[in-house]
Amino acid sequence: MIDELGGPLTYNHYPVGWAHAMDTPMQWTKQIASHLGGTRNGMVISWAARVKDKGGLRTQFCHVIDIVPTIYEAAGITPPDMLDGVKQKPLDGTSLVYTFYNATAPTRHGTQYFEMLGNRAIYKHGWMASTTPLRLPWVTSGYEPNPDDFKWELYNIDDDFSQASNLAAKNPDKLRELQDAFDVEARKFNVYPLDSSFASRVDPAIRPSLTRGRSEFVYYPGMIRIPEGSAPDVKNKSWTIAAEVAIPRGGANGVLATIGGRFGGWALLVMDGKPIFAYAFSNQPDHKFRVASDQRLPVGNHIVRVKFDYDGGGIGKGAAATLLVDEKQVSQGRFHRRYLLASHWTKHLTLDRILEHLC
């Protein structure tokens, strides 16, 4: 779909190759907290009244936690020890104001840990120890490596900013020093226990929920954009949904219920006066399915129902869908793949796009 990239018909995450290319010459990409390709970003600070070195560069190590202390110092504010009767935790960052007036000032942020999804690293005075990722960031399910199995790499980023030369074998004592430093920081900032999971941790079933234990839900016209954690969980299981409709003279069209969007999800709708259940595993043409009636809904009150019968046996299996009008079957079909709905899909709910592109 290369000619569609960047347009409305593609899900606009970078393809893998472009993600790597834009991180050049650093290693790895987003999600990989252990390497600078996943964490390093440029920053611009502009303060015309105080910073006179317009266009100047600074190379001192800094971290996002340094921004708040920088603003406090620049504004001449001492953060309170108590706020509304609650004792405040101390700020762990280092103000960057010292770099404003001295481009070559020694780095004051001497140690910083990194960790995400089991990928971890520690920076300490120009050196950086990084674990080797065991799960590729674009492999989102099916593999959750043991964090104890990650190997460690070692870099002197004062001389090797892109982490091109792994010195772990040549300098095992320095590596051990940094590993010990990571352990200290991890215990201090509650990094443990390490968790390398990805897909399983975004499952709404493990989050606080207003719907846990419920098996029946009633919704009324005008209720839209319901958060996934407050909606029925229909992933990898059988379910049914029914809508009460009143068809006026001249017929009616519209979406009755939907979850997801152009890049994955389902919709129960009436188009050209006919009830349709549309289902998409992804936005690729061979990943779209539907069952539809060949008869228009007559004038009057009706119940349009879909029964979704999941094959079972794990995640992402097939299913059969039966479309009924007034409890009489009007169509049936099979879906060969079951989509694992990611929570971010529900944020892109657009009924007109469901109608236009899934059907």
Side-chain angles (χ1 to χ4, degrees), residues 64-126:
V64 66
I65 63 173
D66 297 337
I67 302 302
V68 168
T70 301
I71 293 172
Y72 277 142
E73 182 178 350
I77 296 173
T78 300
D81 293 327
M82 299 285 293
L83 184 63
D84 294 334
V86 179
K87 183 173 177 58
Q88 301 297 292
K89 293 181 178 180
L91 293 175
D92 296 302
T94 302
S95 169
L96 301 175
V97 170
Y98 76 96
T99 69
F100 292 178
Y101 316 112
N102 184 356
T104 61
T107 295
R108 294 185 182 178
H109 193 135
T111 303
Q112 179 61 49
Y113 84 92
F114 300 83
E115 191 277 333
M116 182 179 180
L117 305 173
N119 297 306
R120 51 205 187 273
I122 182 78
Y123 166 87
K124 185 177 180 181
H125 301 304

Side-chain angles (χ1 to χ4, degrees), residues 4 25 35 66 75 90 107 157 208 225 231 246 280 317 338 354:
E4 302 290 348
H35 289 72
D66 297 337
T107 295
I157 61 172
R225 299 188 72 84
K317 307 301 180 182
R338 173 88 171 104
I354 286 279

